[in-house]
Amino acid sequence: LYRWVYFKPSLSTAPEYKSIAVLPFVNLGNDPEQVYFSNGITEDILNHLTKVKNLKVKSRTSTLPYKDTDKSIIEIGKELDVDHI
């Protein structure tokens, strides 16, 4: 019985970090009270992502200015300097 284990040698001992930004959700309904719900979903996602090891998460205050923007995802990603949105 043989067992193979693949392992990728690291060039450095420092962990590799990825970065992500969660853009605020938009309330698509006509009920203004649902804004609280959409903000809560964003916060919940952020709270869960901050627990992921080696993942840098942009704060909600950093992404809030992009709530009503016409900028593309690519532009926002470059401005926030993140790998994923």
Side-chain angles (χ1 to χ4, degrees), residues 21-27 35 38-43 45-46 59-69 73 76 80 85:
V22 178
L23 296 181
F25 285 85
V26 177
N27 179 17
V35 172
S38 61
N39 289 341
I41 290 176
T42 305
E43 284 294 323
I45 292 170
L46 287 171
S59 69
R60 184 172 184 270
T61 55
S62 298
T63 60
L64 199 55
Y66 297 99
K67 186 167 186 163
D68 295 317
T69 187
I73 295 295
I76 295 170
L80 291 173
I85 298 229

mmCIF file with all atom_site columns, all heavy atoms in Angstrom, residues 21-27 35 38-43 45-46 59-69 73 76 80 85:
data_model
loop_
_atom_site.group_PDB
_atom_site.id
_atom_site.type_symbol
_atom_site.label_atom_id
_atom_site.label_alt_id
_atom_site.label_comp_id
_atom_site.label_asym_id
_atom_site.label_entity_id
_atom_site.label_seq_id
_atom_site.pdbx_PDB_ins_code
_atom_site.Cartn_x
_atom_site.Cartn_y
_atom_site.Cartn_z
_atom_site.occupancy
_atom_site.B_iso_or_equiv
_atom_site.pdbx_formal_charge
_atom_site.auth_seq_id
_atom_site.auth_comp_id
_atom_site.auth_asym_id
_atom_site.auth_atom_id
_atom_site.pdbx_PDB_model_num
ATOM 1   N N   . ALA A 1 21 ? -13.071 42.474 -0.478  1.00 0.00 ? 21 ALA A N   1
ATOM 2   C CA  . ALA A 1 21 ? -13.951 43.568 -0.055  1.00 0.00 ? 21 ALA A CA  1
ATOM 3   C C   . ALA A 1 21 ? -15.382 43.134 -0.341  1.00 0.00 ? 21 ALA A C   1
ATOM 4   O O   . ALA A 1 21 ? -15.672 42.560 -1.389  1.00 0.00 ? 21 ALA A O   1
ATOM 5   C CB  . ALA A 1 21 ? -13.631 44.848 -0.816  1.00 0.00 ? 21 ALA A CB  1
ATOM 6   N N   . VAL A 1 22 ? -16.260 43.392 0.609   1.00 0.00 ? 22 VAL A N   1
ATOM 7   C CA  . VAL A 1 22 ? -17.683 43.090 0.441   1.00 0.00 ? 22 VAL A CA  1
ATOM 8   C C   . VAL A 1 22 ? -18.394 44.417 0.243   1.00 0.00 ? 22 VAL A C   1
ATOM 9   O O   . VAL A 1 22 ? -18.422 45.251 1.141   1.00 0.00 ? 22 VAL A O   1
ATOM 10  C CB  . VAL A 1 22 ? -18.254 42.350 1.671   1.00 0.00 ? 22 VAL A CB  1
ATOM 11  C CG1 . VAL A 1 22 ? -19.742 42.099 1.491   1.00 0.00 ? 22 VAL A CG1 1
ATOM 12  C CG2 . VAL A 1 22 ? -17.506 41.055 1.908   1.00 0.00 ? 22 VAL A CG2 1
ATOM 13  N N   . LEU A 1 23 ? -18.937 44.603 -0.942  1.00 0.00 ? 23 LEU A N   1
ATOM 14  C CA  . LEU A 1 23 ? -19.645 45.854 -1.230  1.00 0.00 ? 23 LEU A CA  1
ATOM 15  C C   . LEU A 1 23 ? -21.012 45.836 -0.555  1.00 0.00 ? 23 LEU A C   1
ATOM 16  O O   . LEU A 1 23 ? -21.627 44.772 -0.405  1.00 0.00 ? 23 LEU A O   1
ATOM 17  C CB  . LEU A 1 23 ? -19.802 46.037 -2.734  1.00 0.00 ? 23 LEU A CB  1
ATOM 18  C CG  . LEU A 1 23 ? -18.505 46.186 -3.518  1.00 0.00 ? 23 LEU A CG  1
ATOM 19  C CD1 . LEU A 1 23 ? -18.807 46.377 -4.994  1.00 0.00 ? 23 LEU A CD1 1
ATOM 20  C CD2 . LEU A 1 23 ? -17.675 47.334 -2.995  1.00 0.00 ? 23 LEU A CD2 1
ATOM 21  N N   . PRO A 1 24 ? -21.491 47.001 -0.153  1.00 0.00 ? 24 PRO A N   1
ATOM 22  C CA  . PRO A 1 24 ? -22.806 47.070 0.497   1.00 0.00 ? 24 PRO A CA  1
ATOM 23  C C   . PRO A 1 24 ? -23.915 46.600 -0.446  1.00 0.00 ? 24 PRO A C   1
ATOM 24  O O   . PRO A 1 24 ? -23.886 46.894 -1.638  1.00 0.00 ? 24 PRO A O   1
ATOM 25  C CB  . PRO A 1 24 ? -22.980 48.557 0.814   1.00 0.00 ? 24 PRO A CB  1
ATOM 26  C CG  . PRO A 1 24 ? -21.631 49.151 0.721   1.00 0.00 ? 24 PRO A CG  1
ATOM 27  C CD  . PRO A 1 24 ? -20.849 48.297 -0.235  1.00 0.00 ? 24 PRO A CD  1
ATOM 28  N N   . PHE A 1 25 ? -24.863 45.874 0.113   1.00 0.00 ? 25 PHE A N   1
ATOM 29  C CA  . PHE A 1 25 ? -26.011 45.436 -0.674  1.00 0.00 ? 25 PHE A CA  1
ATOM 30  C C   . PHE A 1 25 ? -26.958 46.611 -0.872  1.00 0.00 ? 25 PHE A C   1
ATOM 31  O O   . PHE A 1 25 ? -27.047 47.506 -0.038  1.00 0.00 ? 25 PHE A O   1
ATOM 32  C CB  . PHE A 1 25 ? -26.743 44.298 0.043   1.00 0.00 ? 25 PHE A CB  1
ATOM 33  C CG  . PHE A 1 25 ? -26.019 42.991 -0.056  1.00 0.00 ? 25 PHE A CG  1
ATOM 34  C CD1 . PHE A 1 25 ? -25.018 42.669 0.844   1.00 0.00 ? 25 PHE A CD1 1
ATOM 35  C CD2 . PHE A 1 25 ? -26.332 42.095 -1.058  1.00 0.00 ? 25 PHE A CD2 1
ATOM 36  C CE1 . PHE A 1 25 ? -24.342 41.466 0.748   1.00 0.00 ? 25 PHE A CE1 1
ATOM 37  C CE2 . PHE A 1 25 ? -25.665 40.879 -1.157  1.00 0.00 ? 25 PHE A CE2 1
ATOM 38  C CZ  . PHE A 1 25 ? -24.674 40.575 -0.247  1.00 0.00 ? 25 PHE A CZ  1
ATOM 39  N N   . VAL A 1 26 ? -27.663 46.581 -1.972  1.00 0.00 ? 26 VAL A N   1
ATOM 40  C CA  . VAL A 1 26 ? -28.609 47.639 -2.300  1.00 0.00 ? 26 VAL A CA  1
ATOM 41  C C   . VAL A 1 26 ? -30.014 47.131 -2.014  1.00 0.00 ? 26 VAL A C   1
ATOM 42  O O   . VAL A 1 26 ? -30.358 45.991 -2.360  1.00 0.00 ? 26 VAL A O   1
ATOM 43  C CB  . VAL A 1 26 ? -28.483 48.038 -3.785  1.00 0.00 ? 26 VAL A CB  1
ATOM 44  C CG1 . VAL A 1 26 ? -29.516 49.079 -4.155  1.00 0.00 ? 26 VAL A CG1 1
ATOM 45  C CG2 . VAL A 1 26 ? -27.086 48.551 -4.081  1.00 0.00 ? 26 VAL A CG2 1
ATOM 46  N N   . ASN A 1 27 ? -30.823 47.966 -1.391  1.00 0.00 ? 27 ASN A N   1
ATOM 47  C CA  . ASN A 1 27 ? -32.223 47.628 -1.135  1.00 0.00 ? 27 ASN A CA  1
ATOM 48  C C   . ASN A 1 27 ? -33.007 47.832 -2.428  1.00 0.00 ? 27 ASN A C   1
ATOM 49  O O   . ASN A 1 27 ? -33.231 48.957 -2.866  1.00 0.00 ? 27 ASN A O   1
ATOM 50  C CB  . ASN A 1 27 ? -32.775 48.516 -0.018  1.00 0.00 ? 27 ASN A CB  1
ATOM 51  C CG  . ASN A 1 27 ? -34.224 48.237 0.283   1.00 0.00 ? 27 ASN A CG  1
ATOM 52  O OD1 . ASN A 1 27 ? -34.755 47.209 -0.090  1.00 0.00 ? 27 ASN A OD1 1
ATOM 53  N ND2 . ASN A 1 27 ? -34.868 49.164 0.964   1.00 0.00 ? 27 ASN A ND2 1
ATOM 54  N N   . VAL A 1 35 ? -33.690 48.464 4.400   1.00 0.00 ? 35 VAL A N   1
ATOM 55  C CA  . VAL A 1 35 ? -32.290 48.893 4.345   1.00 0.00 ? 35 VAL A CA  1
ATOM 56  C C   . VAL A 1 35 ? -31.536 48.287 5.519   1.00 0.00 ? 35 VAL A C   1
ATOM 57  O O   . VAL A 1 35 ? -30.387 47.845 5.389   1.00 0.00 ? 35 VAL A O   1
ATOM 58  C CB  . VAL A 1 35 ? -32.175 50.438 4.346   1.00 0.00 ? 35 VAL A CB  1
ATOM 59  C CG1 . VAL A 1 35 ? -30.741 50.887 4.484   1.00 0.00 ? 35 VAL A CG1 1
ATOM 60  C CG2 . VAL A 1 35 ? -32.802 51.004 3.082   1.00 0.00 ? 35 VAL A CG2 1
ATOM 61  N N   . SER A 1 38 ? -30.604 44.721 4.556   1.00 0.00 ? 38 SER A N   1
ATOM 62  C CA  . SER A 1 38 ? -29.493 44.611 3.603   1.00 0.00 ? 38 SER A CA  1
ATOM 63  C C   . SER A 1 38 ? -28.162 44.978 4.263   1.00 0.00 ? 38 SER A C   1
ATOM 64  O O   . SER A 1 38 ? -27.139 44.366 3.979   1.00 0.00 ? 38 SER A O   1
ATOM 65  C CB  . SER A 1 38 ? -29.744 45.454 2.351   1.00 0.00 ? 38 SER A CB  1
ATOM 66  O OG  . SER A 1 38 ? -29.865 46.815 2.673   1.00 0.00 ? 38 SER A OG  1
ATOM 67  N N   . ASN A 1 39 ? -28.177 45.961 5.172   1.00 0.00 ? 39 ASN A N   1
ATOM 68  C CA  . ASN A 1 39 ? -26.957 46.304 5.907   1.00 0.00 ? 39 ASN A CA  1
ATOM 69  C C   . ASN A 1 39 ? -26.547 45.164 6.834   1.00 0.00 ? 39 ASN A C   1
ATOM 70  O O   . ASN A 1 39 ? -25.357 44.889 7.008   1.00 0.00 ? 39 ASN A O   1
ATOM 71  C CB  . ASN A 1 39 ? -27.148 47.583 6.724   1.00 0.00 ? 39 ASN A CB  1
ATOM 72  C CG  . ASN A 1 39 ? -27.237 48.818 5.858   1.00 0.00 ? 39 ASN A CG  1
ATOM 73  O OD1 . ASN A 1 39 ? -26.824 48.800 4.698   1.00 0.00 ? 39 ASN A OD1 1
ATOM 74  N ND2 . ASN A 1 39 ? -27.784 49.876 6.400   1.00 0.00 ? 39 ASN A ND2 1
ATOM 75  N N   . GLY A 1 40 ? -27.526 44.499 7.420   1.00 0.00 ? 40 GLY A N   1
ATOM 76  C CA  . GLY A 1 40 ? -27.246 43.373 8.309   1.00 0.00 ? 40 GLY A CA  1
ATOM 77  C C   . GLY A 1 40 ? -26.618 42.197 7.584   1.00 0.00 ? 40 GLY A C   1
ATOM 78  O O   . GLY A 1 40 ? -25.725 41.530 8.128   1.00 0.00 ? 40 GLY A O   1
ATOM 79  N N   . ILE A 1 41 ? -27.067 41.936 6.371   1.00 0.00 ? 41 ILE A N   1
ATOM 80  C CA  . ILE A 1 41 ? -26.485 40.852 5.581   1.00 0.00 ? 41 ILE A CA  1
ATOM 81  C C   . ILE A 1 41 ? -25.016 41.158 5.288   1.00 0.00 ? 41 ILE A C   1
ATOM 82  O O   . ILE A 1 41 ? -24.149 40.290 5.420   1.00 0.00 ? 41 ILE A O   1
ATOM 83  C CB  . ILE A 1 41 ? -27.263 40.634 4.269   1.00 0.00 ? 41 ILE A CB  1
ATOM 84  C CG1 . ILE A 1 41 ? -28.631 40.043 4.581   1.00 0.00 ? 41 ILE A CG1 1
ATOM 85  C CG2 . ILE A 1 41 ? -26.492 39.723 3.318   1.00 0.00 ? 41 ILE A CG2 1
ATOM 86  C CD1 . ILE A 1 41 ? -29.520 39.875 3.382   1.00 0.00 ? 41 ILE A CD1 1
ATOM 87  N N   . THR A 1 42 ? -24.728 42.387 4.903   1.00 0.00 ? 42 THR A N   1
ATOM 88  C CA  . THR A 1 42 ? -23.349 42.781 4.641   1.00 0.00 ? 42 THR A CA  1
ATOM 89  C C   . THR A 1 42 ? -22.485 42.583 5.879   1.00 0.00 ? 42 THR A C   1
ATOM 90  O O   . THR A 1 42 ? -21.388 42.019 5.801   1.00 0.00 ? 42 THR A O   1
ATOM 91  C CB  . THR A 1 42 ? -23.281 44.263 4.188   1.00 0.00 ? 42 THR A CB  1
ATOM 92  O OG1 . THR A 1 42 ? -24.144 44.448 3.066   1.00 0.00 ? 42 THR A OG1 1
ATOM 93  C CG2 . THR A 1 42 ? -21.871 44.657 3.817   1.00 0.00 ? 42 THR A CG2 1
ATOM 94  N N   . GLU A 1 43 ? -22.970 43.023 7.020   1.00 0.00 ? 43 GLU A N   1
ATOM 95  C CA  . GLU A 1 43 ? -22.225 42.881 8.277   1.00 0.00 ? 43 GLU A CA  1
ATOM 96  C C   . GLU A 1 43 ? -21.992 41.412 8.617   1.00 0.00 ? 43 GLU A C   1
ATOM 97  O O   . GLU A 1 43 ? -20.904 41.038 9.062   1.00 0.00 ? 43 GLU A O   1
ATOM 98  C CB  . GLU A 1 43 ? -22.971 43.560 9.426   1.00 0.00 ? 43 GLU A CB  1
ATOM 99  C CG  . GLU A 1 43 ? -22.864 45.060 9.429   1.00 0.00 ? 43 GLU A CG  1
ATOM 100 C CD  . GLU A 1 43 ? -21.446 45.545 9.686   1.00 0.00 ? 43 GLU A CD  1
ATOM 101 O OE1 . GLU A 1 43 ? -20.716 44.933 10.492  1.00 0.00 ? 43 GLU A OE1 1
ATOM 102 O OE2 . GLU A 1 43 ? -21.069 46.542 9.059   1.00 0.00 ? 43 GLU A OE2 1
ATOM 103 N N   . ILE A 1 45 ? -21.816 38.810 6.578   1.00 0.00 ? 45 ILE A N   1
ATOM 104 C CA  . ILE A 1 45 ? -20.808 38.256 5.672   1.00 0.00 ? 45 ILE A CA  1
ATOM 105 C C   . ILE A 1 45 ? -19.414 38.706 6.101   1.00 0.00 ? 45 ILE A C   1
ATOM 106 O O   . ILE A 1 45 ? -18.476 37.902 6.162   1.00 0.00 ? 45 ILE A O   1
ATOM 107 C CB  . ILE A 1 45 ? -21.103 38.654 4.211   1.00 0.00 ? 45 ILE A CB  1
ATOM 108 C CG1 . ILE A 1 45 ? -22.374 37.947 3.732   1.00 0.00 ? 45 ILE A CG1 1
ATOM 109 C CG2 . ILE A 1 45 ? -19.933 38.316 3.307   1.00 0.00 ? 45 ILE A CG2 1
ATOM 110 C CD1 . ILE A 1 45 ? -22.883 38.433 2.404   1.00 0.00 ? 45 ILE A CD1 1
ATOM 111 N N   . LEU A 1 46 ? -19.269 39.987 6.407   1.00 0.00 ? 46 LEU A N   1
ATOM 112 C CA  . LEU A 1 46 ? -17.974 40.504 6.860   1.00 0.00 ? 46 LEU A CA  1
ATOM 113 C C   . LEU A 1 46 ? -17.504 39.807 8.131   1.00 0.00 ? 46 LEU A C   1
ATOM 114 O O   . LEU A 1 46 ? -16.330 39.437 8.253   1.00 0.00 ? 46 LEU A O   1
ATOM 115 C CB  . LEU A 1 46 ? -18.049 42.012 7.098   1.00 0.00 ? 46 LEU A CB  1
ATOM 116 C CG  . LEU A 1 46 ? -18.105 42.887 5.860   1.00 0.00 ? 46 LEU A CG  1
ATOM 117 C CD1 . LEU A 1 46 ? -18.405 44.329 6.235   1.00 0.00 ? 46 LEU A CD1 1
ATOM 118 C CD2 . LEU A 1 46 ? -16.802 42.801 5.094   1.00 0.00 ? 46 LEU A CD2 1
ATOM 119 N N   . SER A 1 59 ? -12.684 46.837 5.635   1.00 0.00 ? 59 SER A N   1
ATOM 120 C CA  . SER A 1 59 ? -13.751 47.203 6.562   1.00 0.00 ? 59 SER A CA  1
ATOM 121 C C   . SER A 1 59 ? -14.965 47.750 5.824   1.00 0.00 ? 59 SER A C   1
ATOM 122 O O   . SER A 1 59 ? -14.872 48.191 4.675   1.00 0.00 ? 59 SER A O   1
ATOM 123 C CB  . SER A 1 59 ? -13.249 48.240 7.556   1.00 0.00 ? 59 SER A CB  1
ATOM 124 O OG  . SER A 1 59 ? -13.020 49.459 6.887   1.00 0.00 ? 59 SER A OG  1
ATOM 125 N N   . ARG A 1 60 ? -16.075 47.739 6.510   1.00 0.00 ? 60 ARG A N   1
ATOM 126 C CA  . ARG A 1 60 ? -17.321 48.260 5.939   1.00 0.00 ? 60 ARG A CA  1
ATOM 127 C C   . ARG A 1 60 ? -17.201 49.745 5.637   1.00 0.00 ? 60 ARG A C   1
ATOM 128 O O   . ARG A 1 60 ? -17.732 50.241 4.647   1.00 0.00 ? 60 ARG A O   1
ATOM 129 C CB  . ARG A 1 60 ? -18.471 48.002 6.911   1.00 0.00 ? 60 ARG A CB  1
ATOM 130 C CG  . ARG A 1 60 ? -19.817 48.410 6.368   1.00 0.00 ? 60 ARG A CG  1
ATOM 131 C CD  . ARG A 1 60 ? -20.925 47.949 7.306   1.00 0.00 ? 60 ARG A CD  1
ATOM 132 N NE  . ARG A 1 60 ? -22.213 48.244 6.744   1.00 0.00 ? 60 ARG A NE  1
ATOM 133 C CZ  . ARG A 1 60 ? -22.861 49.393 6.954   1.00 0.00 ? 60 ARG A CZ  1
ATOM 134 N NH1 . ARG A 1 60 ? -22.343 50.318 7.704   1.00 0.00 ? 60 ARG A NH1 1
ATOM 135 N NH2 . ARG A 1 60 ? -24.043 49.590 6.399   1.00 0.00 ? 60 ARG A NH2 1
ATOM 136 N N   . THR A 1 61 ? -16.477 50.469 6.484   1.00 0.00 ? 61 THR A N   1
ATOM 137 C CA  . THR A 1 61 ? -16.314 51.911 6.252   1.00 0.00 ? 61 THR A CA  1
ATOM 138 C C   . THR A 1 61 ? -15.495 52.186 4.992   1.00 0.00 ? 61 THR A C   1
ATOM 139 O O   . THR A 1 61 ? -15.678 53.218 4.360   1.00 0.00 ? 61 THR A O   1
ATOM 140 C CB  . THR A 1 61 ? -15.650 52.602 7.464   1.00 0.00 ? 61 THR A CB  1
ATOM 141 O OG1 . THR A 1 61 ? -14.412 51.966 7.761   1.00 0.00 ? 61 THR A OG1 1
ATOM 142 C CG2 . THR A 1 61 ? -16.553 52.553 8.676   1.00 0.00 ? 61 THR A CG2 1
ATOM 143 N N   . SER A 1 62 ? -14.622 51.260 4.613   1.00 0.00 ? 62 SER A N   1
ATOM 144 C CA  . SER A 1 62 ? -13.845 51.425 3.384   1.00 0.00 ? 62 SER A CA  1
ATOM 145 C C   . SER A 1 62 ? -14.692 51.213 2.136   1.00 0.00 ? 62 SER A C   1
ATOM 146 O O   . SER A 1 62 ? -14.444 51.819 1.099   1.00 0.00 ? 62 SER A O   1
ATOM 147 C CB  . SER A 1 62 ? -12.678 50.438 3.351   1.00 0.00 ? 62 SER A CB  1
ATOM 148 O OG  . SER A 1 62 ? -11.795 50.667 4.400   1.00 0.00 ? 62 SER A OG  1
ATOM 149 N N   . THR A 1 63 ? -15.691 50.337 2.246   1.00 0.00 ? 63 THR A N   1
ATOM 150 C CA  . THR A 1 63 ? -16.503 50.012 1.072   1.00 0.00 ? 63 THR A CA  1
ATOM 151 C C   . THR A 1 63 ? -17.797 50.817 0.983   1.00 0.00 ? 63 THR A C   1
ATOM 152 O O   . THR A 1 63 ? -18.418 50.860 -0.077  1.00 0.00 ? 63 THR A O   1
ATOM 153 C CB  . THR A 1 63 ? -16.857 48.514 1.065   1.00 0.00 ? 63 THR A CB  1
ATOM 154 O OG1 . THR A 1 63 ? -17.592 48.196 2.246   1.00 0.00 ? 63 THR A OG1 1
ATOM 155 C CG2 . THR A 1 63 ? -15.606 47.659 0.993   1.00 0.00 ? 63 THR A CG2 1
ATOM 156 N N   . LEU A 1 64 ? -18.186 51.446 2.070   1.00 0.00 ? 64 LEU A N   1
ATOM 157 C CA  . LEU A 1 64 ? -19.443 52.198 2.093   1.00 0.00 ? 64 LEU A CA  1
ATOM 158 C C   . LEU A 1 64 ? -19.541 53.279 1.013   1.00 0.00 ? 64 LEU A C   1
ATOM 159 O O   . LEU A 1 64 ? -20.613 53.451 0.422   1.00 0.00 ? 64 LEU A O   1
ATOM 160 C CB  . LEU A 1 64 ? -19.674 52.796 3.477   1.00 0.00 ? 64 LEU A CB  1
ATOM 161 C CG  . LEU A 1 64 ? -21.098 53.215 3.811   1.00 0.00 ? 64 LEU A CG  1
ATOM 162 C CD1 . LEU A 1 64 ? -22.062 52.068 3.629   1.00 0.00 ? 64 LEU A CD1 1
ATOM 163 C CD2 . LEU A 1 64 ? -21.163 53.746 5.231   1.00 0.00 ? 64 LEU A CD2 1
ATOM 164 N N   . PRO A 1 65 ? -18.474 53.998 0.684   1.00 0.00 ? 65 PRO A N   1
ATOM 165 C CA  . PRO A 1 65 ? -18.591 55.012 -0.379  1.00 0.00 ? 65 PRO A CA  1
ATOM 166 C C   . PRO A 1 65 ? -18.974 54.450 -1.754  1.00 0.00 ? 65 PRO A C   1
ATOM 167 O O   . PRO A 1 65 ? -19.380 55.192 -2.639  1.00 0.00 ? 65 PRO A O   1
ATOM 168 C CB  . PRO A 1 65 ? -17.193 55.631 -0.436  1.00 0.00 ? 65 PRO A CB  1
ATOM 169 C CG  . PRO A 1 65 ? -16.588 55.362 0.890   1.00 0.00 ? 65 PRO A CG  1
ATOM 170 C CD  . PRO A 1 65 ? -17.176 54.055 1.339   1.00 0.00 ? 65 PRO A CD  1
ATOM 171 N N   . TYR A 1 66 ? -18.868 53.134 -1.923  1.00 0.00 ? 66 TYR A N   1
ATOM 172 C CA  . TYR A 1 66 ? -19.172 52.526 -3.216  1.00 0.00 ? 66 TYR A CA  1
ATOM 173 C C   . TYR A 1 66 ? -20.616 52.027 -3.314  1.00 0.00 ? 66 TYR A C   1
ATOM 174 O O   . TYR A 1 66 ? -20.981 51.374 -4.283  1.00 0.00 ? 66 TYR A O   1
ATOM 175 C CB  . TYR A 1 66 ? -18.209 51.368 -3.490  1.00 0.00 ? 66 TYR A CB  1
ATOM 176 C CG  . TYR A 1 66 ? -16.781 51.828 -3.580  1.00 0.00 ? 66 TYR A CG  1
ATOM 177 C CD1 . TYR A 1 66 ? -15.914 51.707 -2.502  1.00 0.00 ? 66 TYR A CD1 1
ATOM 178 C CD2 . TYR A 1 66 ? -16.298 52.427 -4.739  1.00 0.00 ? 66 TYR A CD2 1
ATOM 179 C CE1 . TYR A 1 66 ? -14.611 52.147 -2.569  1.00 0.00 ? 66 TYR A CE1 1
ATOM 180 C CE2 . TYR A 1 66 ? -14.993 52.877 -4.827  1.00 0.00 ? 66 TYR A CE2 1
ATOM 181 C CZ  . TYR A 1 66 ? -14.159 52.728 -3.739  1.00 0.00 ? 66 TYR A CZ  1
ATOM 182 O OH  . TYR A 1 66 ? -12.863 53.173 -3.810  1.00 0.00 ? 66 TYR A OH  1
ATOM 183 N N   . LYS A 1 67 ? -21.442 52.369 -2.335  1.00 0.00 ? 67 LYS A N   1
ATOM 184 C CA  . LYS A 1 67 ? -22.822 51.871 -2.320  1.00 0.00 ? 67 LYS A CA  1
ATOM 185 C C   . LYS A 1 67 ? -23.624 52.350 -3.533  1.00 0.00 ? 67 LYS A C   1
ATOM 186 O O   . LYS A 1 67 ? -24.338 51.579 -4.144  1.00 0.00 ? 67 LYS A O   1
ATOM 187 C CB  . LYS A 1 67 ? -23.534 52.284 -1.033  1.00 0.00 ? 67 LYS A CB  1
ATOM 188 C CG  . LYS A 1 67 ? -24.912 51.659 -0.907  1.00 0.00 ? 67 LYS A CG  1
ATOM 189 C CD  . LYS A 1 67 ? -25.485 51.807 0.453   1.00 0.00 ? 67 LYS A CD  1
ATOM 190 C CE  . LYS A 1 67 ? -26.788 51.037 0.536   1.00 0.00 ? 67 LYS A CE  1
ATOM 191 N NZ  . LYS A 1 67 ? -27.205 50.794 1.886   1.00 0.00 ? 67 LYS A NZ  1
ATOM 192 N N   . ASP A 1 68 ? -23.502 53.589 -3.888  1.00 0.00 ? 68 ASP A N   1
ATOM 193 C CA  . ASP A 1 68 ? -24.282 54.136 -5.013  1.00 0.00 ? 68 ASP A CA  1
ATOM 194 C C   . ASP A 1 68 ? -23.369 54.629 -6.124  1.00 0.00 ? 68 ASP A C   1
ATOM 195 O O   . ASP A 1 68 ? -23.631 55.665 -6.733  1.00 0.00 ? 68 ASP A O   1
ATOM 196 C CB  . ASP A 1 68 ? -25.178 55.271 -4.513  1.00 0.00 ? 68 ASP A CB  1
ATOM 197 C CG  . ASP A 1 68 ? -26.235 54.784 -3.545  1.00 0.00 ? 68 ASP A CG  1
ATOM 198 O OD1 . ASP A 1 68 ? -26.829 53.727 -3.817  1.00 0.00 ? 68 ASP A OD1 1
ATOM 199 O OD2 . ASP A 1 68 ? -26.445 55.447 -2.512  1.00 0.00 ? 68 ASP A OD2 1
ATOM 200 N N   . THR A 1 69 ? -22.330 53.880 -6.412  1.00 0.00 ? 69 THR A N   1
ATOM 201 C CA  . THR A 1 69 ? -21.373 54.319 -7.424  1.00 0.00 ? 69 THR A CA  1
ATOM 202 C C   . THR A 1 69 ? -21.671 53.680 -8.775  1.00 0.00 ? 69 THR A C   1
ATOM 203 O O   . THR A 1 69 ? -22.324 52.645 -8.858  1.00 0.00 ? 69 THR A O   1
ATOM 204 C CB  . THR A 1 69 ? -19.937 53.979 -6.990  1.00 0.00 ? 69 THR A CB  1
ATOM 205 O OG1 . THR A 1 69 ? -19.036 54.571 -7.917  1.00 0.00 ? 69 THR A OG1 1
ATOM 206 C CG2 . THR A 1 69 ? -19.700 52.492 -6.953  1.00 0.00 ? 69 THR A CG2 1
ATOM 207 N N   . ILE A 1 73 ? -16.537 47.031 -11.118 1.00 0.00 ? 73 ILE A N   1
ATOM 208 C CA  . ILE A 1 73 ? -15.932 46.187 -10.085 1.00 0.00 ? 73 ILE A CA  1
ATOM 209 C C   . ILE A 1 73 ? -14.405 46.240 -10.190 1.00 0.00 ? 73 ILE A C   1
ATOM 210 O O   . ILE A 1 73 ? -13.701 46.269 -9.181  1.00 0.00 ? 73 ILE A O   1
ATOM 211 C CB  . ILE A 1 73 ? -16.438 44.729 -10.217 1.00 0.00 ? 73 ILE A CB  1
ATOM 212 C CG1 . ILE A 1 73 ? -17.927 44.648 -9.950  1.00 0.00 ? 73 ILE A CG1 1
ATOM 213 C CG2 . ILE A 1 73 ? -15.676 43.797 -9.294  1.00 0.00 ? 73 ILE A CG2 1
ATOM 214 C CD1 . ILE A 1 73 ? -18.335 45.007 -8.543  1.00 0.00 ? 73 ILE A CD1 1
ATOM 215 N N   . ILE A 1 76 ? -13.177 49.504 -8.679  1.00 0.00 ? 76 ILE A N   1
ATOM 216 C CA  . ILE A 1 76 ? -13.317 49.470 -7.225  1.00 0.00 ? 76 ILE A CA  1
ATOM 217 C C   . ILE A 1 76 ? -12.239 48.577 -6.614  1.00 0.00 ? 76 ILE A C   1
ATOM 218 O O   . ILE A 1 76 ? -11.614 48.930 -5.616  1.00 0.00 ? 76 ILE A O   1
ATOM 219 C CB  . ILE A 1 76 ? -14.728 48.994 -6.820  1.00 0.00 ? 76 ILE A CB  1
ATOM 220 C CG1 . ILE A 1 76 ? -15.780 49.999 -7.279  1.00 0.00 ? 76 ILE A CG1 1
ATOM 221 C CG2 . ILE A 1 76 ? -14.809 48.769 -5.315  1.00 0.00 ? 76 ILE A CG2 1
ATOM 222 C CD1 . ILE A 1 76 ? -17.207 49.523 -7.143  1.00 0.00 ? 76 ILE A CD1 1
ATOM 223 N N   . LEU A 1 80 ? -9.480  49.869 -3.932  1.00 0.00 ? 80 LEU A N   1
ATOM 224 C CA  . LEU A 1 80 ? -9.422  49.283 -2.588  1.00 0.00 ? 80 LEU A CA  1
ATOM 225 C C   . LEU A 1 80 ? -8.205  48.377 -2.410  1.00 0.00 ? 80 LEU A C   1
ATOM 226 O O   . LEU A 1 80 ? -7.914  47.961 -1.295  1.00 0.00 ? 80 LEU A O   1
ATOM 227 C CB  . LEU A 1 80 ? -10.694 48.487 -2.301  1.00 0.00 ? 80 LEU A CB  1
ATOM 228 C CG  . LEU A 1 80 ? -11.972 49.306 -2.140  1.00 0.00 ? 80 LEU A CG  1
ATOM 229 C CD1 . LEU A 1 80 ? -13.178 48.378 -2.029  1.00 0.00 ? 80 LEU A CD1 1
ATOM 230 C CD2 . LEU A 1 80 ? -11.882 50.211 -0.932  1.00 0.00 ? 80 LEU A CD2 1
ATOM 231 N N   . ILE A 1 85 ? -13.782 40.802 -4.920  1.00 0.00 ? 85 ILE A N   1
ATOM 232 C CA  . ILE A 1 85 ? -14.910 41.639 -4.476  1.00 0.00 ? 85 ILE A CA  1
ATOM 233 C C   . ILE A 1 85 ? -16.123 40.747 -4.415  1.00 0.00 ? 85 ILE A C   1
ATOM 234 O O   . ILE A 1 85 ? -16.377 39.962 -5.273  1.00 0.00 ? 85 ILE A O   1
ATOM 235 C CB  . ILE A 1 85 ? -15.172 42.804 -5.445  1.00 0.00 ? 85 ILE A CB  1
ATOM 236 C CG1 . ILE A 1 85 ? -13.981 43.703 -5.502  1.00 0.00 ? 85 ILE A CG1 1
ATOM 237 C CG2 . ILE A 1 85 ? -16.459 43.493 -5.101  1.00 0.00 ? 85 ILE A CG2 1
ATOM 238 C CD1 . ILE A 1 85 ? -14.185 45.148 -5.358  1.00 0.00 ? 85 ILE A CD1 1
#
